[in-house]
Amino acid sequence: MPTLKIDGNEYEFETGMSVIQVCDMHGIEIPRFCYHEKLEIAGNCRMCLVEVKPGPPKPQASCALPAVDGQEVFTKTPMVKKAREGVMEFLLINHPLDCPICDQAGECDLQDQSMHYGDGESRYHEHKRAVEDKYMGPLIKTHMTRCIHCTRCIRFAEDIAGVPDLGAIYRGEEMQVTTYLEKAMASELSGNVIDLCPVGALTSKPYAFVARPWELKKTESIDVMDAVGSNIRIDSRGESVLRVLPRLNEAVNEEWLADKSRYACDGLRNQRLDRPYIRIDGRLEEASWEQAFAAIAAKIESIPADNIAALAGNLADTESMVALKDLMTSLGVPHLDCRQDGAKIDATDRASYLFNTGIANVELADVVVLIGANPRHEAPLINTRLRKAYLRNAAQIFNLGEPHDLTYPVKQLGTDPTTLNALLDSKHEVAKALSKAKHPLIIVGAAAVAREDGEAILQACKLLAQNCNVVRDDWNGFNMLHYAAARVGGLDIGFVPQKGGKDIAGIIDAIGHKDIEMLYLLGVDEIDMSYFGDAFIIYQGHHGDIGAHRADVILPGAAYTEKDGIYVNMEGRPQEAFRAIFPPNMAKEDWKIIRALSDALGHRLPYDTQEQMRARLVEVAPQLGHINTIKPAKWKAASANSTLTIEDDKFEKAILNYYMTDPISRASKTMADCTTLIAQMKVEVKEAA
């Protein structure tokens, strides 16, 4: 490997790296404002200046300087020190220096670097420039007088988000970063520009003037707003979650976070269930835990076990699903399902429901076929990887389903699912492209298999993968794109119909025929409650949403920020979430509620502590005992002689409103503001047309 010297010490590096990358790799600090390792190089802040030999006798920007074998780099010479002080002095000429009232104070790169690399005094006494603040929607608060023209936000919008809504107008000192037409940044990833901004020009509008960073308790956890499993940091104070920020995990979310995951946290404070309720004479009345358990016990004793069913919702942790499954099994109840959308997924065929390629490996793709999927709304951080595959590999991307603006060019194959039959022909252009590809991907949307003919569609997709060499010993390009955080975990632990049991469709049908009289809903809210007729409903959850309104007994549970739990993301990666705050009032952790209920029913579950609960979880699904490790699934071949038929009803959208998909986001004022804005933008587009 080539080597260079930095401050007299010799270091190895890979060909093609820049000097600043070599310094970062070996822990040598270089200040910077415009440079970011995930963005294109701009080289316009000049803060990363170093002295280089051989080279001209002047400082050079290390971000734009290629590392060369035999090169000598100096980061601490008088020339470098003076140059950095000069750059900092120029940056502060027009900066307002309003740190006491700036939300970025305490987390500001300009503050930190001016302390470390600045001169300590100013020679400028002239009036500073002033720039009018820009409107960027309900999520981003602007104070553009603070802007230092690093252009990170512009490059993120263009390169990562794929939404060229930000740009610069004018030149020199008059330059302004703007959305041109004073419109909101139309991206599900817009909040990331706040993290990227090295000063206080772009800050969080919902978080404005709420707290200082040193006041907050910081808890590392996992996001549940989609099935990506983004690594997050929950910042809380007292009993409130004040903000959610991304944590670095290159294998999952890199350092980005989707807007719903970042901003829906204010919904945790609204419409909460904080005590048990029992429906008496048509009205929900407050009750004690003992009264609620007694009402459930009385109902269970009055009906046979075959007349009881249980469903798990999209936000449930795996521990609570295991506990509920164990309780139902002890009662002799076979009717279980975690697929409240009716997805026709076989829980015994793990490779058919995992994102087998792995999230990070999406970037390697050279041919992609989307089937009934909209990754921009169902998994925005998967969509960024697909955009990266397009930009870096010139990936050819086909879409069979509703057309969407996915931020990269897509060849539309129509919306008719029967087109899948044509794709199975080896002469079809899609089959040819997949067969020739080095890293082909087939991405099947969860909504595509949540139809009456979902099993047939899944089998056709698997056949396409088999016929076109998408699944090989060294590569598995077959992927299911889930949007529910609990789905893979529920399938892994077998929260599906047991022997002789009914699935969600069978349960609904049985309720209509009075064959099922009692239904236990574990956070189930994304389903039409009118399906459940006159059945006795037990709802365990944390928000007064659809399920709670229909319930006969309400058991208040804990939200994801209020409990320790394991969530399995779409690629089958178990990740551990940690409690940031305690559940409100009388609410409890979900598995503990089920454990206490088992006592009242005379079927005591054999675990009393979190450790015992985890041991049981690993007993049920051994792969979940290896946190942050993916156990590859064995491919189960699909039969080419299937008699299943694909209907010609067009694919439907899995998500109608990205900003409101669960009880937490539906209770969020910020998400309501975003929903209103999107509706207004659609009206304006129609009027313009």
Side-chain angles (χ1 to χ4, degrees):
M1 291 182 71
T3 62
L4 55 67
K5 285 186 177 181
I6 304 176
D7 296 328
N9 298 313
E10 192 169 281
Y11 299 100
E12 292 184 339
F13 64 92
E14 295 179 10
T15 303
M17 296 181 74
S18 64
V19 169
I20 197 171
Q21 288 177 315
V22 178
C23 291
D24 287 348
M25 184 172 65
H26 295 290
I28 299 166
E29 185 176 353
I30 300 289
R32 80 288 303 270
F33 289 115
C34 71
Y35 174 79
H36 191 280
E37 60 182 3
K38 299 292 183 183
L39 305 177
E40 293 293 329
I41 293 171
N44 54 8
C45 79
R46 320 309 290 178
M47 194 64 202
C48 64
L49 294 172
V50 294
E51 189 177 350
V52 182
K53 292 182 181 178
K58 63 178 183 179
Q60 298 190 57
S62 58
C63 67
L65 181 67
V68 179
D69 190 28
Q71 199 174 38
E72 288 189 74
V73 178
F74 303 93
T75 68
K76 300 176 182 177
T77 62
M79 178 195 291
V80 171
K81 182 176 183 296
K82 184 177 180 181
R84 289 175 180 171
E85 287 177 353
V87 170
M88 182 60 68
E89 190 172 26
F90 276 110
L91 287 174
L92 295 177
I93 288 175
N94 281 314
H95 195 76
L97 304 180
D98 56 350
C99 301
I101 61 166
C102 178
D103 266 328
Q104 196 83 348
E107 300 172 308
C108 176
D109 292 348
L110 188 64
Q111 266 185 345
D112 297 340
Q113 293 187 40
S114 63
M115 287 287 291
H116 195 75
Y117 300 102
D119 190 32
E121 60 183 63
S122 174
R123 296 180 291 170
Y124 292 89
H125 305 286
E126 293 82 1
H127 291 297
K128 295 176 181 286
R129 68 168 188 162
V131 179
E132 185 178 351
D133 293 343
K134 313 300 180 186
Y135 173 75
M136 292 190 186
L139 304 180
I140 304 170
K141 179 180 173 64
T142 65
H143 197 302
M144 303 313 293
T145 301
R146 299 171 184 154
C147 180
I148 61 170
H149 304 162
C150 72
T151 70
R152 280 185 179 183
C153 56
I154 297 173
R155 285 175 283 146
F156 173 83
E158 182 74 32
D159 302 338
I160 308 297
V163 180
D165 283 351
L166 290 179
I169 57 176
Y170 311 128
R171 301 182 65 183
E173 185 185 43
E174 300 301 319
M175 174 180 162
Q176 296 182 25
V177 173
T178 178
T179 55
Y180 304 114
L181 300 177
E182 294 290 307
K183 61 185 284 291
M185 184 176 170
S187 171
E188 298 74 26
L189 301 165
S190 63
N192 291 289
V193 300
I194 296 167
D195 297 335
L196 288 170
C197 184
V199 295
L202 305 177
T203 56
S204 172
K205 188 173 284 186
Y207 180 70
F209 309 119
V210 170
R212 289 299 193 185
W214 53 85
E215 300 175 330
L216 303 175
K217 173 189 170 187
K218 301 170 177 61
T219 307
E220 295 185 349
S221 193
I222 302 299
D223 170 59
V224 300
M225 295 292 107
D226 57 31
V228 173
S230 298
N231 287 222
I232 58 173
R233 191 187 85 195
I234 302 169
D235 286 357
S236 59
R237 184 176 61 189
E239 298 177 350
S240 299
V241 172
L242 299 185
R243 67 175 178 179
V244 172
L245 298 175
R247 280 192 296 130
L248 177 66
N249 188 329
E250 294 289 356
V252 182
N253 59 299
E254 300 178 276
E255 58 188 85
W256 315 125
L257 191 62
D259 285 348
K260 182 170 52 178
S261 304
R262 183 188 296 266
Y263 289 110
C265 60
D266 64 324
L268 293 165
R269 299 190 291 270
N270 304 326
Q271 301 176 4
R272 289 303 303 270
L273 299 174
D274 62 353
R275 63 199 66 198
Y277 289 86
I278 300 175
R279 190 175 296 277
I280 301 173
D281 297 328
R283 292 173 57 88
L284 287 170
E285 305 285 350
E286 292 184 20
S288 66
W289 281 106
E290 291 76 14
Q291 291 171 323
F293 289 163
I296 295 170
K299 184 65 178 179
I300 288 177
E301 289 173 4
S302 68
I303 58 177
D306 198 49
N307 287 24
I308 302 171
L311 301 175
N314 292 349
L315 305 185
D317 57 281
T318 48
E319 290 92 334
S320 62
M321 288 189 284
V322 166
L324 183 56
K325 181 186 175 186
D326 285 349
L327 177 59
M328 292 295 118
T329 301
S330 70
L331 294 171
V333 176
H335 314 304
L336 309 174
D337 210 340
C338 65
R339 304 160 297 184
Q340 62 172 315
D341 59 356
K344 307 300 189 292
I345 299 173
D346 183 1
T348 64
D349 184 5
R350 194 164 186 256
S352 72
Y353 65 78
L354 287 186
F355 200 91
N356 295 285
T357 302
I359 292 172
N361 289 334
V362 170
E363 299 176 10
L364 303 176
D366 45 7
V367 174
V368 181
V369 181
L370 302 173
I371 301 172
N374 177 7
R376 182 170 177 181
H377 285 172
E378 295 167 39
L381 294 173
I382 299 288
N383 203 55
T384 64
R385 304 270 191 177
L386 287 168
R387 175 169 170 77
K388 200 180 294 186
Y390 162 71
L391 292 174
R392 294 184 178 179
N393 312 332
Q396 192 176 5
I397 304 175
F398 300 91
N399 181 48
L400 175 57
E402 283 286 319
H404 308 284
D405 177 10
L406 296 175
T407 72
Y408 40 81
V410 172
K411 183 164 186 179
Q412 189 67 30
L413 300 174
T415 60
D416 186 349
T418 59
T419 304
L420 274 170
N421 296 322
L423 301 188
L424 295 174
D425 185 345
S426 60
K427 296 180 181 179
H428 196 283
E429 64 168 325
V430 172
K432 288 180 179 179
L434 287 172
S435 299
K436 294 177 182 177
K438 186 177 180 181
H439 296 117
L441 290 188
I442 294 175
I443 299 179
V444 185
V449 296
R451 304 158 38 108
E452 290 293 331
D453 59 350
E455 187 178 355
I457 288 174
L458 183 57
Q459 288 299 307
C461 293
K462 291 187 66 176
L463 278 174
L464 180 63
Q466 290 170 194
N467 295 349
C468 299
N469 208 25
V470 174
V471 179
R472 310 187 294 262
D473 291 339
D474 62 335
W475 179 261
N476 188 338
F478 183 86
N479 303 286
M480 181 69 69
L481 187 73
H482 294 284
Y483 55 84
R487 187 60 46 81
V488 172
L491 293 169
D492 273 357
I493 66 158
F495 201 97
V496 291
Q498 306 302 292
K499 186 176 181 180
K502 303 179 188 299
D503 63 6
I504 178 66
I507 290 170
I508 291 172
D509 183 64
I511 289 174
H513 291 89
K514 309 295 184 183
D515 293 331
I516 288 181
E517 302 174 54
M518 179 178 141
L519 189 59
Y520 198 119
L521 303 181
L522 179 61
V524 175
D525 290 286
E526 281 64 55
I527 194 169
D528 187 346
M529 292 294 160
S530 65
Y531 292 153
F532 300 145
D534 298 327
F536 185 87
I537 303 293
I538 303 164
Y539 177 80
Q540 180 177 331
H542 41 76
H543 275 75
D545 207 80
I546 302 170
H549 282 281
R550 173 60 186 82
D552 294 287
V553 176
I554 294 176
L555 306 178
Y560 73 104
T561 56
E562 300 159 2
K563 60 185 174 183
D564 296 336
I566 290 177
Y567 295 90
V568 188
N569 75 349
M570 67 173 72
E571 58 183 347
R573 182 190 302 270
Q575 298 185 105
E576 191 171 6
F578 294 97
R579 182 179 63 206
I581 59 175
F582 287 93
N585 203 356
M586 296 171 65
K588 305 292 182 185
E589 293 182 40
D590 291 293
W591 77 265
K592 292 182 179 179
I593 294 173
I594 298 167
R595 165 64 184 80
L597 176 60
S598 71
D599 262 348
L601 299 179
H603 291 267
R604 183 189 180 107
L605 296 177
Y607 28 80
D608 298 313
T609 65
Q610 187 81 30
E611 290 73 22
Q612 292 172 340
M613 180 70 251
R614 291 280 172 85
R616 172 58 181 158
L617 173 63
V618 173
E619 183 182 335
V620 173
Q623 69 270 22
L624 304 189
H626 304 281
I627 299 298
N628 207 35
T629 301
I630 300 173
K631 181 181 178 182
K634 186 176 180 181
W635 182 258
K636 187 183 290 187
S639 172
N641 300 318
S642 174
T643 58
L644 298 170
T645 304
I646 298 176
E647 303 296 333
D648 59 3
D649 297 334
K650 71 176 185 177
F651 285 116
E652 295 183 358
K653 297 178 181 178
I655 295 176
L656 299 178
N657 177 8
Y658 164 75
Y659 295 103
M660 290 188 173
T661 56
D662 55 82
I664 298 173
S665 57
R666 283 193 289 269
S668 165
K669 180 184 181 301
T670 306
M671 295 296 96
D673 291 341
C674 291
T675 300
T676 301
L677 176 68
I678 294 300
Q680 290 174 348
M681 291 172 65
K682 288 180 179 178
V683 169
E684 290 172 0
V685 169
K686 286 183 180 179
E687 290 177 349

